Amino acid sequence: MAGSSSFSPSSPLRTSLAILNEVNERVENVIIVGSGPAGYTAALYSARANLDPLVVEGFAWGGLLQQTTDVENYPGFPEGIMGPELMQRFRDQAERFGARLETDDVTAVELSTDGGLHKVWTGDQLHLARAVILAMGAQHRRLGVRGESELGGRGVSYCATCDAAFFKGAPTLIIGGGDSAMEEAMFLAKFASRVAIVHRRDEFRASKIMLERARRMPNIEWLTPYVVEEFVSGDGGALCSARLRNTETGEELELEISGAFIAIGHEPQSQLVQGQVETDPAGYVVTKGTSTLTNLAGVFAAGDLVDHAYRQAVTAAGTGCQAALDAEWYLRDTPLPIETGAAGAPASAS
């Protein structure tokens, strides 16, 4: 791994001293890896606590809301707000209170297992930190079919809770077969004239109770065993239909719709820390109880990186606040591994 040390530590203090001798670097109080509502909220709270946080926000900063059009369910915006504008406001507020933003991607992380300093690389640049907040988020699993990317935000969506209200009285479909797909379908059915659940098998992964609830909704239909082959746009450039294929007979079906919701799961962006912090079988970072503490001292996780259930901007922001407070309390209660200056830089070695 580029920039890593061959020093074999026997204590957190010796580890920290060896790293500093190696790179003669500033020691950050806290580095936040990732942006989005969780990362920027953690940055805001950390900055207001005078922790002078460094946020490595990524080139694609802002998270999934950068790919969202109208956001009507974030508190404080009764008229709604565009996703990119909301994330710009998050970013500006964090920066206003002193968060330092580095628009770069983290290429490697080496988290201390013994209470020493953590290492974060952006390319060849090594950053050292007493605490790290992981806020890399999650990505929607995509179907990978024609028209999906082109019609994102123009009829193709990944969140019925976010976008269902835009499809009042319209024909729609849900792709998926698990509990999340049933939840999405039932929520969407409150607004849409018709919801067709498309699944590649006749059997569903969803629990019996969720299936029974969905089957009781009069405007939910079931299309199995079918897969989506293509999303088709109309004259105005918005989604107008989906082309489906029966997985057993090969029969094709064109379904006129205004909205398509893909509910086949999420992929937490935990690759950087796999094998270092505890993750569950799906790759989500595991935290302790209702806190944001991971299994490593000084390492915290927030947002969609840890969230199986809710995955909303407001809940991500809430856990970003928690992570900043948890990090602040950790730094308050944990002695400095070396003598540092007020800004977090190492004091002179003389």
Side-chain angles (χ1 to χ4, degrees):
M1 183 179 295
S4 62
S5 172
S6 60
F7 182 82
S8 179
S10 60
S11 70
L13 176 59
R14 290 187 63 197
T15 302
S16 301
L17 290 173
I19 294 171
L20 289 172
N21 288 335
E22 174 191 349
V23 297
N24 191 29
E25 273 284 355
R26 169 192 179 108
V27 178
E28 305 289 351
N29 286 315
V30 58
I31 291 177
I32 298 163
V33 182
S35 49
Y40 289 137
T41 302
L44 169 63
Y45 273 77
S46 298
R48 285 177 53 82
N50 291 324
L51 295 180
D52 194 23
L54 173 65
V55 185
V56 187
E57 59 180 355
F59 289 115
W61 58 267
L64 291 176
L65 282 183
Q66 287 286 24
Q67 306 166 28
T68 304
T69 52
D70 292 301
V71 178
E72 295 189 330
N73 57 0
Y74 199 87
F77 297 93
E79 304 303 320
I81 186 171
M82 299 295 283
E85 182 185 354
L86 179 61
M87 292 324 303
Q88 185 66 60
R89 292 193 182 197
F90 268 75
R91 190 175 188 263
D92 292 344
Q93 189 173 10
E95 196 168 29
R96 174 195 167 197
F97 285 100
R100 290 171 295 123
L101 308 179
E102 183 172 331
T103 308
D104 204 344
D105 289 328
V106 172
T107 52
V109 173
E110 187 177 316
L111 301 173
S112 173
T113 60
D114 58 10
L117 297 177
H118 306 288
K119 299 180 180 181
V120 176
W121 280 272
T122 54
D124 294 331
Q125 178 65 46
L126 171 62
H127 303 277
L128 306 173
R130 296 173 59 204
V132 171
I133 295 174
L134 305 173
M136 293 90 75
Q139 291 291 329
H140 302 291
R141 285 204 184 98
R142 295 177 176 268
L143 292 175
V145 301
R146 289 192 297 274
E148 179 179 7
S149 296
E150 295 83 353
L151 290 168
R154 291 186 290 170
V156 174
S157 174
Y158 299 85
C159 179
T161 306
C162 309
D163 297 335
F166 298 118
F167 298 92
K168 290 180 179 177
T172 61
L173 64 78
I174 294 275
I175 302 102
D179 280 354
S180 294
M182 299 305 117
E183 287 276 10
E184 295 273 275
M186 288 186 286
F187 188 86
L188 183 59
K190 299 176 183 177
F191 301 89
S193 61
R194 184 182 79 242
V195 179
I197 297 180
V198 177
H199 188 48
R200 64 173 53 246
R201 292 180 294 273
D202 290 323
E203 301 79 24
F204 290 85
R205 300 186 314 276
S207 61
K208 181 179 178 181
I209 188 170
M210 292 298 293
L211 281 172
E212 289 176 348
R213 288 174 180 172
R215 291 188 190 281
R216 286 198 295 265
M217 310 243 351
N219 59 337
I220 291 181
E221 303 172 3
W222 306 80
L223 279 174
T224 64
Y226 278 91
V227 293
V228 174
E229 293 280 282
E230 181 181 9
F231 293 112
V232 181
S233 61
D235 293 338
L239 176 69
C240 72
S241 67
R243 188 166 59 83
L244 312 179
R245 176 178 55 83
N246 188 298
T247 60
E248 295 178 355
T249 67
E251 172 197 5
E252 291 196 351
L253 170 67
E254 183 116 2
L255 190 67
E256 291 187 3
I257 53 169
S258 298
F261 293 81
I262 300 169
I264 57 174
H266 291 74
E267 296 178 346
Q269 301 299 290
S270 58
Q271 300 92 332
L272 279 171
V273 295
Q274 283 286 352
Q276 298 189 70
V277 297
E278 182 183 356
T279 56
D280 68 12
Y284 290 89
V285 173
V286 174
T287 53
K288 298 180 180 179
T290 58
S291 77
T292 64
L293 280 67
T294 70
N295 61 308
L296 295 181
V299 181
F300 310 89
D304 287 0
L305 187 66
V306 304
D307 182 5
H308 290 259
Y310 302 105
R311 291 188 290 264
Q312 299 296 303
V314 68
T315 53
T319 59
C321 165
Q322 290 177 262
L325 294 174
D326 285 338
E328 179 187 357
W329 297 333
Y330 169 80
L331 294 171
R332 178 196 65 195
D333 298 336
T334 304
L336 292 170
I338 57 168
E339 184 180 357
T340 61
S348 171
S350 60

